Amino acid sequence: MGIAFKHALVTGGGSGIGKATAETLAAQGVDVTICGRRIDALDTVAAGNPRIHAHVADVTDEASVAQLYDAAQAARGPFDIVVANAGMAASAPAGRTTLDLWQQMMSVNLTGAFLTVRPAVDPMRKAGRGRIIFIASIAGLKGSPYISAYVASKHGVVGLTRALAAELAQTEITVNAVCPGYVETPMLERTIANIVDKTGRDAEAARAAVAKDNPQGRIIAPQEVADTVMWLCGEGARSVNGQAIALSGGEV
Ligand code: NAP
């Protein structure tokens, strides 16, 4: 695939899509700094993989992200790939969405993505190259019931992608969003447990209902998302900029 980049940041690299992405980039010879709030999860991913480096950082906290950049870049050089993947999902009917839930979604999914990427922009400009990739969601491209705060935060991420891509189009930096439907990760396990809890369906029926959102009738593998990130990092994708790439079997 020809990845010319040396150092990547993958937020939320301790599980799910972030883990698959970190391992895939590392397998191509990229040094990958992963971050999250749980050191045990990060250490498990980094264990035995000399190209993966774990740092505790909270993407909602500007100072924590600054410390992450300082430590990781001092050790391994500037980031030339940033994958803003950390996120969380919560559901509630719109009329019962509390301000707290709303602010949590915005803080992690949207402000966290902004804080993750902002410190990379000027150094990438100076270096004259880079890849910025947001893991948004199909919820960044369409509305769905009971997840208004999540949908709004992910639409915000797609907006941020488009704005940054327009601003950086004269450079060799590309900015894109990957927008998956349901992916087999711990986040999906929590979604299924929540459906079981709220509807009384069994887990198998809940999984089947979730899979139905995807016209292909399946749940996506984290590796499919990681492979899309990899492709965006290759030279062959240098003209792909400002795109929100749906990975959901034709759902939109
Ligand atoms: P996951 O396994 O729950 O991963 C989420 C990761 O984000 C965790 O490693 C978590 O680590 C990290 N994180 C959460 N809050 C954080 C914070 N404040 N600071 C730093 N890290 C934080 O779920 P996933 O499915 O892989 O999710 C990854 C991304 O894909 C999310 O943005 C999600 O919205 C998106 N997505 C998922 C699906 C799906 O169906 N699974 C579909 C579309 C899009 P800590 O808990 O250790 O902080």
Side-chain angles (χ1 to χ4, degrees), residues 40-123:
D40 50 335
L42 298 167
D43 279 346
T44 305
V45 175
N49 193 328
R51 293 227 177 261
I52 301 186
H53 312 273
H55 283 260
V56 170
D58 183 335
V59 297
T60 67
D61 178 342
E62 191 176 16
S64 176
V65 175
Q67 277 167 8
L68 163 74
Y69 266 77
D70 286 349
Q73 297 194 136
R76 289 173 289 283
F79 291 124
D80 31 31
I81 299 170
V82 172
V83 183
N85 163 75
M88 65 180 295
S91 64
R96 278 189 264 142
T97 293
T98 61
L99 180 58
D100 190 43
L101 186 152
W102 176 269
Q103 284 174 337
Q104 233 187 340
M105 290 298 105
M106 294 302 156
S107 169
V108 179
N109 294 342
L110 181 53
T111 307
F114 159 69
L115 289 176
T116 295
V117 160
R118 186 184 54 178
V121 171
D122 288 342

Side-chain angles (χ1 to χ4, degrees), residues 9-243:
L9 170 63
V10 179
T11 64
S15 61
I17 292 169
K19 174 177 181 286
T21 300
E23 289 172 345
T24 301
L25 288 167
Q28 293 297 314
V30 178
D31 272 309
V32 187
T33 297
I34 56 172
C35 80
R37 294 159 305 173
R38 293 166 300 138
I39 188 63
D40 50 335
L42 298 167
D43 279 346
T44 305
V45 175
N49 193 328
R51 293 227 177 261
I52 301 186
H53 312 273
H55 283 260
V56 170
D58 183 335
V59 297
T60 67
D61 178 342
E62 191 176 16
S64 176
V65 175
Q67 277 167 8
L68 163 74
Y69 266 77
D70 286 349
Q73 297 194 136
R76 289 173 289 283
F79 291 124
D80 31 31
I81 299 170
V82 172
V83 183
N85 163 75
M88 65 180 295
S91 64
R96 278 189 264 142
T97 293
T98 61
L99 180 58
D100 190 43
L101 186 152
W102 176 269
Q103 284 174 337
Q104 233 187 340
M105 290 298 105
M106 294 302 156
S107 169
V108 179
N109 294 342
L110 181 53
T111 307
F114 159 69
L115 289 176
T116 295
V117 160
R118 186 184 54 178
V121 171
D122 288 342
M124 278 186 186
R125 253 189 209 282
K126 217 176 266 171
R129 61 195 211 124
R131 293 287 190 266
I132 294 174
I133 298 163
F134 295 98
I135 307 302
S137 169
I138 203 77
L141 299 173
K142 61 173 267 201
S144 296
Y146 310 121
I147 50 168
S148 54
Y150 184 76
V151 165
S153 70
K154 293 296 189 178
H155 271 68
V157 172
V158 170
L160 176 59
T161 303
R162 291 175 176 150
L164 259 181
E167 191 169 324
L168 298 175
Q170 298 297 313
T171 71
E172 285 289 323
I173 305 164
T174 66
V175 187
N176 291 287
V178 181
C179 298
Y182 285 111
V183 184
E184 196 70 72
T185 71
M187 182 180 281
L188 180 70
E189 285 166 29
R190 292 189 291 275
T191 299
I192 288 172
N194 190 37
I195 295 172
V196 168
D197 186 44
K198 297 242 164 80
T199 66
R201 287 187 219 175
D202 64 27
E204 207 177 314
R207 282 183 73 82
V210 155
K212 251 207 224 152
D213 278 358
N214 177 332
Q216 293 177 333
R218 52 185 289 272
I219 292 169
I220 298 156
Q223 190 62 49
E224 296 174 67
V225 184
D227 287 346
T228 306
V229 171
M230 271 280 300
W231 167 68
L232 286 169
C233 290
E235 276 304 299
R238 63 182 289 209
S239 293
V240 181
N241 192 32
Q243 300 306 300

